[in-house]
Amino acid sequence: MSRVPGWLGRLGAGLSEMGERLDERRAEVERDGGVLDEPKPKPDPSPPEPKAPPQQAPRRAPRPAVPRTDPATAVPWGVRVAAEAGWRLLVLAGTVWILMRVISAVQLVVFAFVIGLLLTALLEPAVAALKRRGVPRGLATALTAVLGFVVIGLLGWFVTWQVMENIDDLSNQIQSGIDDLRRWLLDSPFHVTDKQINAIAKNLREAVGDNADEITSAGLEGVTVIVELLTGILLAAFSTLFLLYDGRRIWEWTLKLVPAAAREGVAGAGPRAWATLTAYVRGTVVVALIDAIFIGLGIYFLDVPMAVPLAVFIFLFSFIPLVGAVASGALAVLVALVTQGPFTAVMTLAVVLAVQQIEGHILQPFILGRAVSVHPLAVVLSVAAGGMVAGIGGAVVAVPLVAVTNTVVGYLRRYASEQAELEAELEPVTDTPLRPDEE
């Protein structure tokens, strides 16, 4: 009896201990949110057998990080150079466009001043000669300007007088020439009939009648042109007078508007540009005078009417390079054709071509020389561009402008090169430190 309660006590204690463990395990599972696992088997006291390590997929070597470069360096060098030059050209084109708009707004003033510059380049040697003879500058300027304007005025009056004196005779000769041309067309192998000629004349009369309003408005616009022409003549006269008298001080005042860094180069380019302009004007006047004299003598001996006015027109048109010579020669040939017939017209054409060939191959290279050496292609393009932009005045001014620009650009390029060489010569030479074994 004494052993049973002890055994029962130990059994009850074991069950109580097992219940407490189960309660603790259940509490842990509930706390972890899981389910009650089966009781784990007791670990085997024998050492575990070594297991083969699981085979893993081979890892790729990590790629080295490539640093991102500047986007500008990724653009090819040629494209970068083209872009840099492109936006600068756009800025220059915009500046030129604005400048042309401003010039077109005050076109009359600009042309008057340019004509004054050309006349000053032509008359300035006379002022210098009078000053060397002891004549005061003001009096020398006044005498030269008055004499020049009187000569120009007499020349214009003479041309007008000759045209008015010969206009009736010329119209009669033109009518006779038209009749001769009509008879020639009727008898020619082209089989032109009188009915076709009358139809052409009728169409011309109808065209003139239909455009009567335009012709009238053109006549009214001609009055405005005459007023503008007189205004331009007065502005050119005043510009010439003041440039002859005070040109040096005007140039010195203009230099003050130039930045100080570029003033020395511009001051050196100015006299060279003026020398080029003076050489161009004097050479052109001499060449035009020779053309007018020899072509005028040729058409005079061929009995072409109004030979002297035609010679004056040839002289004036010679100031427009290439185009002026062609236009004046064509006018002389046309007058010879309608007044004296085809043979005289052919002879006039031969005279004009001979004189122009002598001018182009002998006179211009000898008289103008290297002072205004401009390529013929540049002459043609500049005359065409000047005529498209500003008409006859632009064609007259285009070539001297190109010649002066060529001189200025060439001088500034040489000046920049000389300055760079001078700075390289004056740059101090740094002494290289001695090595320890040379001390």
Side-chain angles (χ1 to χ4, degrees):
M1 291 297 292
S2 59
R3 293 182 180 178
V4 174
W7 176 79
L8 289 175
R10 287 193 297 272
L11 179 62
L15 292 175
S16 299
E17 185 179 357
M18 185 179 296
E20 291 176 359
R21 289 180 180 178
L22 289 174
D23 292 338
E24 291 176 0
R25 180 62 178 167
R26 187 180 292 107
E28 290 178 2
V29 171
E30 290 178 358
R31 187 170 58 249
D32 295 337
V35 293
L36 184 63
D37 297 333
E38 295 180 356
K40 295 181 180 181
K42 293 183 180 181
D44 191 1
S46 61
E49 297 180 0
K51 296 181 180 180
Q55 296 182 355
Q56 298 180 353
R59 295 183 180 180
R60 294 182 180 180
R63 295 181 180 180
V66 179
R68 293 187 178 181
T69 59
D70 186 6
T73 60
V75 180
W77 175 254
V79 178
R80 294 172 64 185
V81 172
E84 292 288 335
W87 73 260
R88 287 176 171 82
L89 289 176
L90 288 177
V91 172
L92 290 177
T95 304
V96 172
W97 183 81
I98 295 174
L99 182 62
M100 295 301 297
R101 296 288 294 181
V102 173
I103 291 176
S104 63
V106 290
Q107 185 174 358
L108 180 62
V109 177
V110 173
F111 275 128
F113 181 73
V114 172
I115 297 300
L117 276 177
L118 297 178
L119 292 176
T120 303
L122 180 63
L123 300 177
E124 193 268 338
V127 176
L130 290 175
K131 286 178 60 181
R132 285 194 298 268
R133 295 179 180 273
V135 180
R137 183 175 185 81
L139 182 59
T141 301
L143 289 175
T144 304
V146 170
L147 182 61
F149 295 148
V150 167
V151 170
I152 295 173
L154 289 176
L155 190 63
W157 171 80
F158 179 75
V159 172
T160 305
W161 173 63
Q162 285 290 314
V163 172
M164 297 302 295
E165 285 290 325
N166 295 278
I167 190 66
D168 294 333
D169 186 23
L170 181 63
S171 62
N172 294 331
Q173 291 181 354
I174 290 175
Q175 184 62 41
S176 177
I178 292 174
D179 294 336
D180 294 339
L181 179 62
R182 179 175 181 175
R183 286 192 296 270
W184 180 81
L185 288 174
L186 291 174
D187 299 335
S188 67
F190 298 107
H191 304 290
V192 180
T193 62
D194 194 12
K195 183 178 180 180
Q196 292 174 339
I197 295 176
N198 292 332
I200 294 173
K202 181 180 178 182
N203 292 332
L204 291 175
R205 286 194 299 269
E206 290 178 353
V208 173
D210 294 338
N211 296 309
D213 295 337
E214 287 79 2
I215 295 174
T216 304
S217 62
L220 295 176
E221 291 178 359
V223 177
T224 306
V225 170
I226 292 175
V227 174
E228 292 181 353
L229 181 62
L230 293 176
T231 304
I233 290 173
L234 291 177
L235 288 175
F238 278 109
S239 299
T240 304
L241 186 62
F242 284 108
L243 287 173
L244 285 173
Y245 178 72
D246 216 8
R248 182 175 295 276
R249 283 197 290 181
I250 293 175
W251 170 245
E252 291 175 354
W253 177 84
T254 306
L255 284 177
K256 296 179 181 179
L257 303 177
V258 180
R263 191 171 299 166
E264 184 178 356
V266 175
R272 289 164 177 79
W274 181 250
T276 300
L277 182 62
T278 303
Y280 173 82
V281 174
R282 295 175 189 172
T284 303
V285 169
V286 173
V287 172
L289 189 61
I290 294 174
D291 283 353
I293 291 175
F294 283 97
I295 295 177
L297 289 175
I299 61 179
Y300 175 78
F301 287 113
L302 290 173
D303 291 331
V304 178
M306 292 197 308
V308 177
L310 286 175
V312 175
F313 278 116
I314 290 171
F315 173 78
L316 296 177
F317 274 80
S318 296
F319 285 91
I320 306 176
L322 301 179
V323 179
V326 174
S328 59
L331 179 62
V333 172
L334 181 61
V335 173
L337 176 64
V338 298
T339 56
Q340 299 296 326
F343 177 76
T344 305
V346 171
M347 296 302 296
T348 303
L349 178 62
V351 171
V352 170
L353 291 178
V355 174
Q356 289 180 356
Q357 290 298 315
I358 294 173
E359 168 207 337
H361 294 87
I362 298 176
L363 296 180
Q364 284 191 354
F366 178 74
I367 295 174
L368 296 180
R370 295 180 177 272
V372 288
S373 56
V374 180
H375 196 275
L377 179 60
V379 173
V380 173
L381 295 179
S382 60
V383 170
M388 293 174 63
V389 172
I392 297 178
V396 173
V397 174
V399 176
L401 179 61
V402 171
V404 170
T405 304
N406 184 32
T407 301
V408 171
V409 171
Y411 171 77
L412 291 178
R413 187 185 297 114
R414 293 192 302 271
Y415 174 79
S417 177
E418 292 174 359
Q419 289 296 113
E421 293 178 358
L422 183 61
E423 291 178 358
E425 292 177 359
L426 296 178
E427 185 177 357
V429 180
T430 58
D431 296 333
T432 57
L434 297 177
R435 291 179 299 181
D437 56 351
E438 294 178 348
E439 293 181 353

